[in-house]
Amino acid sequence: MTTIKILALTLGVTAFLHAQNGSPAQRKPLRRNIVPNEISSSVSKENKIQVALLLDTSNSMDGLIDQAKSRLWSIVNTLTTLKYNGKAPQVEIALYEYGNDGIKDENYIRQVTALTQDLDLVSEKLFALKTNGGSEYCGAVIRDASMNLNWDSNEKSMKLIYIAGNEPFNQGKVNYKDVISKAKNKNIYTNTIFCGDRNEGIQSFWQNGAVLGDGKYFNIDSDRKVMYIETPYDIRISECNTKLNDTYIYYGSRGSEYKTKQVIQDRNAEAQSAANAVERTVAKSKKNAYKNDHWDLVDKAEKDKDYISNIRQEELPSELKGKSSTEIQKVVIQKSAEREKIQKEINELSKKRQDYIDTEMKKRGNSDSDDLGKAIEKSVLELAKKNGYSS
């Protein structure tokens, strides 16, 4: 039974029992095959996929940060295609920066965001990163991430660290071998991405870090511009994004602020490229990843069916003030039904879009395999299979 049905039965409202949940779908290596008509009903509440991105923000890493901005949403979309026992785990992302002289820490590291489902926050903080010369201490930042983030204790959860940089992996006082081994004992996989020549990364211990962490080692050209393929489906998906945003009803003292941030992050994604904005829209249609119950009344009502009955008038937007809880419920149910319909269309268009991209990539003979996002996507799929996840 969907959350919409639960809400309607609770209030005796039956007129809106026409929306069905569905979920994003199946993935083959390095492509996304979206199967429509499966959304929130298949989201697992038991386990998670948690990813910590540790990015070098020293002077030479402007290209790396740009790639991260360009690939954030495609990485999210890769994570959302994974399932455990047929259910899509919740997705959480954390962000660290290290190697930056502007960080007031003896090891030049900073937790930018904790593990969170607030992906607009992750995007906001990522776009705010600035590079500055410094010393890159990989061991120290891995230690901080593995010890101080709220890693899930469930053995079914998949916990991944991705560290990217271009200086020797063994710099600093913290022994990377010790901290990676301790992380491994907590079932946290450490993956390393060297920004430069593959052999140089091997010689400077980046590969060794991945081997110790049961993860994957990659090298990338961090100065390479991310290449996109435009498709006939991009414009319609962008139109769906506008409609999707209209289904959000903000609440609370900061609700309006968060709603504005949603639009700002849409613009940030679009500033990278139109295709990147499309990837963000696809990510926003995935209920196991893009959750905003801290400011959106539709998501909040799905999480807590009794919340609307007890909501205070001062927490409501102007268009809902003065309405009864039953009237508010009807609006929320209607917006929820609209959202699911839009999500279904986005999923259908996304499948066609990905098929088009795959065909074009074959024609060009170009796998786009040497940028940050593609390195992460490839390793996520390999590690997921190893841990009993399907795609």
Side-chain angles (χ1 to χ4, degrees):
M1 180 179 293
T2 66
T3 302
I4 294 173
K5 290 180 180 179
I6 294 171
L7 286 171
L9 288 172
T10 302
L11 292 164
V13 179
T14 59
F16 296 91
L17 295 181
H18 59 276
Q20 295 296 323
N21 285 336
S23 140
Q26 317 268 327
R27 172 160 186 147
K28 301 294 181 183
L30 289 181
R31 62 169 287 163
R32 286 186 295 280
N33 289 329
I34 307 299
V35 174
N37 303 323
E38 284 183 67
I39 300 183
S40 63
S41 61
S42 64
V43 176
S44 172
K45 296 182 179 179
E46 298 178 354
N47 57 316
K48 301 177 179 179
I49 299 176
Q50 298 176 306
V51 176
L53 302 176
L54 284 45
L55 303 179
D56 180 354
T57 56
S58 62
N59 268 339
S60 57
M61 291 289 99
D62 292 283
L64 175 68
I65 304 307
D66 191 63
Q67 285 187 9
K69 294 174 184 177
S70 298
R71 289 299 193 192
L72 172 63
W73 300 108
S74 63
I75 292 169
V76 170
N77 287 329
T78 299
L79 298 173
T80 60
T81 62
L82 300 175
K83 291 184 177 62
Y84 192 91
N85 289 337
K87 293 186 177 182
Q90 296 180 11
V91 173
E92 295 180 347
I93 295 179
L95 182 63
Y96 272 79
E97 64 169 323
Y98 74 102
N100 190 316
D101 278 346
I103 301 172
K104 295 181 179 179
D105 177 86
E106 64 176 340
N107 291 310
Y108 306 105
I109 63 177
R110 180 172 74 97
Q111 183 188 105
V112 182
T113 72
L115 284 163
T116 180
Q117 276 196 298
D118 187 352
L119 299 186
D120 285 346
L121 175 65
V122 175
S123 177
E124 176 189 6
K125 298 299 184 181
L126 176 60
F127 274 82
L129 290 181
K130 304 295 183 183
T131 57
N132 192 15
S135 300
E136 296 99 297
Y137 300 147
C138 296
V141 70
I142 293 171
R143 179 181 66 179
D144 195 289
S146 61
M147 291 181 61
N148 294 331
L149 290 173
N150 186 25
W151 297 101
D152 194 63
S153 59
N154 191 333
E155 291 185 357
K156 299 176 184 177
S157 293
M158 191 162 68
K159 295 165 281 190
L160 309 172
I161 287 176
Y162 286 90
I163 180 168
N166 70 341
E167 292 294 327
F169 202 74
N170 61 342
Q171 288 187 137
K173 298 178 181 179
V174 180
N175 189 314
Y176 76 86
K177 296 180 180 179
D178 292 340
V179 297
I180 289 176
S181 295
K182 289 178 181 178
K184 182 179 174 182
N185 290 337
K186 297 196 298 186
N187 294 319
I188 302 172
Y189 293 83
T190 300
N191 303 270
T192 64
I193 303 172
F194 181 70
C195 303
D197 178 75
R198 181 172 181 82
N199 288 330
E200 182 182 352
I202 294 172
Q203 293 167 8
S204 54
F205 307 106
W206 284 79
Q207 184 184 58
N208 184 242
V211 171
L212 291 172
D214 265 359
K216 300 295 179 180
Y217 164 67
F218 294 90
N219 72 295
I220 64 171
D221 178 1
S222 58
D223 292 324
R224 180 182 180 181
K225 294 295 182 182
V226 172
M227 303 299 294
Y228 294 102
I229 295 176
E230 295 183 0
T231 82
Y233 310 100
D234 294 352
I235 292 176
R236 179 56 188 166
I237 293 175
S238 295
E239 291 172 349
C240 286
N241 182 62
T242 301
K243 293 182 178 181
L244 187 64
N245 284 354
D246 287 342
T247 68
Y248 285 83
I249 307 172
Y250 71 81
Y251 74 94
S253 60
R254 298 184 63 191
S256 178
E257 175 189 344
Y258 284 118
K259 183 72 173 70
T260 300
K261 285 185 177 180
Q262 181 186 58
V263 176
I264 291 173
Q265 297 319 307
D266 284 351
R267 292 172 182 167
N268 277 339
E270 189 174 9
Q272 294 298 114
S273 75
N276 189 45
V278 170
E279 291 283 355
R280 172 170 160 82
T281 298
V282 173
K284 285 167 67 179
S285 73
K286 311 295 183 62
K287 287 192 173 184
N288 62 323
Y290 192 74
K291 298 289 287 184
N292 294 287
D293 51 84
H294 57 296
W295 66 267
D296 169 51
L297 206 51
V298 176
D299 280 347
K300 183 65 175 179
E302 183 175 349
K303 183 177 182 180
D304 180 1
K305 63 184 177 62
D306 297 321
Y307 184 80
I308 293 176
S309 299
N310 302 309
I311 194 168
R312 299 189 301 271
Q313 284 290 311
E314 59 266 27
E315 292 183 297
L316 294 169
S318 58
E319 63 267 24
L320 293 183
K321 285 181 178 177
K323 292 185 181 295
S324 68
S325 60
T326 300
E327 290 173 322
I328 295 170
Q329 285 277 16
K330 288 181 178 180
V331 173
V332 170
I333 291 169
Q334 184 177 30
K335 290 294 185 181
S336 182
E338 290 174 5
R339 186 178 300 179
E340 291 186 6
K341 181 179 179 181
I342 297 165
Q343 288 171 332
K344 178 181 177 181
E345 182 177 358
I346 292 171
N347 288 336
E348 291 170 344
L349 291 167
S350 177
K351 179 185 180 301
K352 294 175 181 178
R353 175 178 181 266
Q354 192 61 48
D355 288 342
Y356 183 93
I357 290 172
D358 292 340
T359 300
E360 287 298 309
M361 294 285 277
K362 289 178 181 178
K363 290 179 182 178
R364 301 182 187 190
N366 182 359
S367 65
D368 256 359
S369 60
D370 61 346
D371 70 57
L372 177 73
K374 290 300 179 182
I376 292 176
E377 289 174 33
K378 183 177 181 180
S379 62
V380 161
L381 294 173
E382 292 180 9
L383 291 170
K385 184 177 180 180
K386 180 179 178 180
N387 284 273
Y389 287 74
S390 59
S391 57

Short mmCIF file of all heavy atoms in Angstrom, two decimals, residues 73 91-93 113-125 258 261 265 289-292 294-295:
data_model
loop_
_atom_site.label_atom_id
_atom_site.label_comp_id
_atom_site.label_asym_id
_atom_site.label_seq_id
_atom_site.Cartn_x
_atom_site.Cartn_y
_atom_site.Cartn_z
N TRP A 73 25.46 14.34 -10.41
CA TRP A 73 24.12 13.78 -10.59
C TRP A 73 24.15 12.47 -11.37
O TRP A 73 23.31 11.58 -11.14
CB TRP A 73 23.22 14.80 -11.26
CG TRP A 73 23.13 16.02 -10.40
CD1 TRP A 73 23.68 17.25 -10.63
CD2 TRP A 73 22.52 16.11 -9.10
NE1 TRP A 73 23.45 18.10 -9.58
CE2 TRP A 73 22.73 17.43 -8.63
CE3 TRP A 73 21.80 15.21 -8.31
CZ2 TRP A 73 22.25 17.85 -7.39
CZ3 TRP A 73 21.33 15.64 -7.07
CH2 TRP A 73 21.55 16.95 -6.63
N VAL A 91 20.15 6.38 -0.41
CA VAL A 91 21.47 6.87 -0.82
C VAL A 91 21.86 8.08 0.02
O VAL A 91 21.07 9.01 0.18
CB VAL A 91 21.47 7.24 -2.31
CG1 VAL A 91 22.78 7.90 -2.72
CG2 VAL A 91 21.21 6.01 -3.17
N GLU A 92 23.07 8.05 0.56
CA GLU A 92 23.61 9.18 1.31
C GLU A 92 25.00 9.51 0.78
O GLU A 92 25.77 8.61 0.44
CB GLU A 92 23.70 8.87 2.80
CG GLU A 92 22.37 8.66 3.48
CD GLU A 92 22.50 8.35 4.96
OE1 GLU A 92 23.64 8.06 5.41
OE2 GLU A 92 21.48 8.37 5.66
N ILE A 93 25.30 10.80 0.72
CA ILE A 93 26.60 11.25 0.23
C ILE A 93 27.22 12.22 1.23
O ILE A 93 26.52 13.06 1.80
CB ILE A 93 26.47 11.92 -1.16
CG1 ILE A 93 26.01 10.89 -2.19
CG2 ILE A 93 27.78 12.55 -1.60
CD1 ILE A 93 25.82 11.45 -3.58
N THR A 113 30.28 18.27 4.14
CA THR A 113 28.95 17.82 4.57
C THR A 113 29.10 16.43 5.17
O THR A 113 29.94 15.63 4.75
CB THR A 113 27.94 17.72 3.41
OG1 THR A 113 28.26 16.61 2.57
CG2 THR A 113 27.90 19.00 2.60
N ALA A 114 28.28 16.15 6.17
CA ALA A 114 28.18 14.80 6.70
C ALA A 114 27.42 13.92 5.71
O ALA A 114 26.93 14.40 4.69
CB ALA A 114 27.48 14.83 8.06
N LEU A 115 27.31 12.64 6.00
CA LEU A 115 26.50 11.76 5.16
C LEU A 115 25.05 12.24 5.23
O LEU A 115 24.47 12.37 6.31
CB LEU A 115 26.60 10.31 5.64
CG LEU A 115 27.90 9.59 5.28
CD1 LEU A 115 28.07 8.34 6.13
CD2 LEU A 115 27.95 9.25 3.80
N THR A 116 24.46 12.50 4.07
CA THR A 116 23.14 13.11 4.04
C THR A 116 22.38 12.73 2.78
O THR A 116 22.97 12.41 1.75
CB THR A 116 23.27 14.65 4.11
OG1 THR A 116 21.96 15.24 4.08
CG2 THR A 116 24.08 15.20 2.94
N GLN A 117 21.05 12.77 2.89
CA GLN A 117 20.18 12.65 1.72
C GLN A 117 19.83 14.01 1.15
O GLN A 117 19.15 14.09 0.12
CB GLN A 117 18.90 11.89 2.09
CG GLN A 117 19.04 10.37 2.05
CD GLN A 117 17.69 9.70 2.04
OE1 GLN A 117 16.90 9.82 2.98
NE2 GLN A 117 17.40 8.97 0.97
N ASP A 118 20.28 15.06 1.80
CA ASP A 118 20.02 16.42 1.31
C ASP A 118 21.00 16.72 0.18
O ASP A 118 22.02 17.37 0.36
CB ASP A 118 20.17 17.43 2.45
CG ASP A 118 19.74 18.83 2.05
OD1 ASP A 118 19.47 19.06 0.85
OD2 ASP A 118 19.68 19.71 2.93
N LEU A 119 20.68 16.25 -1.02
CA LEU A 119 21.60 16.37 -2.14
C LEU A 119 21.71 17.79 -2.65
O LEU A 119 22.71 18.15 -3.28
CB LEU A 119 21.18 15.41 -3.26
CG LEU A 119 21.18 13.93 -2.87
CD1 LEU A 119 20.89 13.06 -4.10
CD2 LEU A 119 22.50 13.50 -2.24
N ASP A 120 20.69 18.62 -2.40
CA ASP A 120 20.83 20.03 -2.74
C ASP A 120 21.92 20.68 -1.90
O ASP A 120 22.66 21.54 -2.37
CB ASP A 120 19.51 20.77 -2.52
CG ASP A 120 18.48 20.47 -3.60
OD1 ASP A 120 18.87 19.91 -4.64
OD2 ASP A 120 17.30 20.81 -3.41
N LEU A 121 22.04 20.25 -0.65
CA LEU A 121 23.11 20.75 0.22
C LEU A 121 24.47 20.31 -0.30
O LEU A 121 25.42 21.11 -0.37
CB LEU A 121 22.91 20.25 1.65
CG LEU A 121 24.03 20.59 2.64
CD1 LEU A 121 24.12 22.09 2.86
CD2 LEU A 121 23.82 19.85 3.97
N VAL A 122 24.60 19.04 -0.69
CA VAL A 122 25.86 18.54 -1.24
C VAL A 122 26.24 19.34 -2.48
O VAL A 122 27.40 19.76 -2.64
CB VAL A 122 25.75 17.04 -1.57
CG1 VAL A 122 27.03 16.56 -2.25
CG2 VAL A 122 25.49 16.23 -0.30
N SER A 123 25.27 19.57 -3.36
CA SER A 123 25.52 20.34 -4.57
C SER A 123 25.95 21.76 -4.23
O SER A 123 26.91 22.30 -4.80
CB SER A 123 24.26 20.36 -5.45
OG SER A 123 24.46 21.16 -6.59
N GLU A 124 25.24 22.40 -3.31
CA GLU A 124 25.55 23.77 -2.91
C GLU A 124 27.00 23.88 -2.41
O GLU A 124 27.75 24.78 -2.81
CB GLU A 124 24.59 24.23 -1.82
CG GLU A 124 24.89 25.62 -1.27
CD GLU A 124 24.06 25.95 -0.04
OE1 GLU A 124 23.32 25.07 0.47
OE2 GLU A 124 24.14 27.11 0.43
N LYS A 125 27.39 22.96 -1.55
CA LYS A 125 28.73 23.00 -0.96
C LYS A 125 29.80 22.65 -1.99
O LYS A 125 30.90 23.21 -1.97
CB LYS A 125 28.82 22.06 0.23
CG LYS A 125 27.88 22.41 1.38
CD LYS A 125 28.19 23.78 1.95
CE LYS A 125 27.31 24.10 3.16
NZ LYS A 125 27.57 25.45 3.71
N TYR A 258 14.85 26.80 1.59
CA TYR A 258 15.24 25.53 0.96
C TYR A 258 14.62 25.40 -0.43
O TYR A 258 15.26 24.85 -1.34
CB TYR A 258 14.81 24.35 1.83
CG TYR A 258 15.68 24.13 3.04
CD1 TYR A 258 15.15 24.22 4.33
CD2 TYR A 258 17.02 23.82 2.91
CE1 TYR A 258 15.94 24.01 5.45
CE2 TYR A 258 17.82 23.61 4.02
CZ TYR A 258 17.28 23.72 5.29
OH TYR A 258 18.06 23.52 6.39
N LYS A 261 16.75 27.25 -2.69
CA LYS A 261 18.01 26.52 -2.93
C LYS A 261 17.83 25.44 -3.98
O LYS A 261 18.74 25.16 -4.76
CB LYS A 261 18.52 25.91 -1.62
CG LYS A 261 19.14 26.91 -0.65
CD LYS A 261 19.73 26.22 0.56
CE LYS A 261 20.41 27.21 1.49
NZ LYS A 261 20.99 26.55 2.68
N GLN A 265 20.24 25.21 -7.25
CA GLN A 265 21.04 24.05 -7.65
C GLN A 265 20.64 23.56 -9.04
O GLN A 265 21.47 23.00 -9.75
CB GLN A 265 20.92 22.94 -6.60
CG GLN A 265 21.48 23.32 -5.23
CD GLN A 265 22.78 24.09 -5.32
OE1 GLN A 265 23.74 23.66 -5.97
NE2 GLN A 265 22.84 25.25 -4.66
N ALA A 289 16.86 8.57 -3.28
CA ALA A 289 18.02 9.47 -3.22
C ALA A 289 17.63 10.89 -2.90
O ALA A 289 18.20 11.52 -2.00
CB ALA A 289 18.79 9.42 -4.55
N TYR A 290 16.66 11.42 -3.61
CA TYR A 290 16.33 12.84 -3.48
C TYR A 290 15.14 12.99 -2.54
O TYR A 290 13.99 12.93 -2.94
CB TYR A 290 16.02 13.44 -4.86
CG TYR A 290 15.95 14.95 -4.87
CD1 TYR A 290 17.10 15.72 -4.78
CD2 TYR A 290 14.72 15.60 -4.97
CE1 TYR A 290 17.04 17.10 -4.78
CE2 TYR A 290 14.65 16.99 -4.98
CZ TYR A 290 15.81 17.73 -4.89
OH TYR A 290 15.74 19.11 -4.89
N LYS A 291 15.43 13.17 -1.24
CA LYS A 291 14.40 13.30 -0.22
C LYS A 291 14.53 14.65 0.45
O LYS A 291 15.62 15.09 0.81
CB LYS A 291 14.55 12.20 0.83
CG LYS A 291 14.39 10.80 0.30
CD LYS A 291 12.95 10.49 -0.06
CE LYS A 291 12.09 10.30 1.15
NZ LYS A 291 10.70 9.92 0.80
N ASN A 292 13.38 15.31 0.65
CA ASN A 292 13.39 16.65 1.23
C ASN A 292 12.33 16.81 2.31
O ASN A 292 11.66 17.84 2.40
CB ASN A 292 13.16 17.69 0.12
CG ASN A 292 14.29 17.73 -0.87
OD1 ASN A 292 15.37 18.21 -0.58
ND2 ASN A 292 14.06 17.19 -2.06
N HIS A 294 12.68 17.48 5.21
CA HIS A 294 13.00 18.54 6.17
C HIS A 294 12.41 19.89 5.76
O HIS A 294 12.41 20.83 6.56
CB HIS A 294 14.51 18.66 6.35
CG HIS A 294 15.28 18.92 5.09
ND1 HIS A 294 15.32 18.03 4.05
CD2 HIS A 294 16.02 19.98 4.70
CE1 HIS A 294 16.07 18.53 3.08
NE2 HIS A 294 16.50 19.71 3.44
N TRP A 295 11.90 19.99 4.50
CA TRP A 295 11.28 21.25 4.10
C TRP A 295 10.06 21.09 3.19
O TRP A 295 9.28 22.02 3.02
CB TRP A 295 12.29 22.18 3.43
CG TRP A 295 12.82 21.70 2.10
CD1 TRP A 295 13.95 20.99 1.89
CD2 TRP A 295 12.25 21.95 0.80
NE1 TRP A 295 14.13 20.74 0.54
CE2 TRP A 295 13.11 21.34 -0.16
CE3 TRP A 295 11.12 22.62 0.34
CZ2 TRP A 295 12.85 21.37 -1.53
CZ3 TRP A 295 10.87 22.66 -1.03
CH2 TRP A 295 11.73 22.05 -1.94
#
